[in-house]
């Protein structure tokens, strides 16, 4: 059987980013996290600054999350 095409999240009415009702970080904060990490800020300092877990920061920076 051929694999079916998946619809993009927008077509399935998924909320992504800061539009999701359970979002903790805004898209602007995620951008700041990327900038601070590129400047050398460690995960633990980013997690403390934005009051989220280190695994949340890791997921953002590794592309698994927004």
């Amino acid at each position: 059987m051929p694999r079916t095409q998946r619809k993009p999240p927008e077509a399935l009415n998924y909320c992504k980013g800061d539009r999701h009702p359970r979002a903790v970080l805004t898209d602007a904060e995620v951008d700041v996290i990327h900038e601070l990490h590129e400047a050398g800020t460690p995960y633990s300092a980013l997690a403390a600054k934005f009051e989220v877990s280190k695994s949340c920061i890791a997921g953002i920076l590794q592309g698994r999350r927004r």
Side-chain angles (χ1 to χ4, degrees), residues 22-51:
R22 292 180 60 193
V24 175
L25 300 170
T26 64
D27 289 338
E29 289 173 323
V30 171
D31 292 338
V32 171
I33 289 170
H34 283 283
E35 291 170 7
L36 291 173
H37 178 67
E38 288 173 6
T41 307
Y43 285 18
S44 56
L46 291 170
K49 178 178 176 67
F50 292 97
E51 298 178 349

Side-chain angles (χ1 to χ4, degrees), residues 4-19:
T4 60
Q5 289 278 78
R6 286 190 143 186
K7 292 183 180 179
E10 299 81 32
L12 298 173
N13 295 325
Y14 288 137
C15 293
K16 231 179 164 185
D18 59 4
R19 291 182 294 163

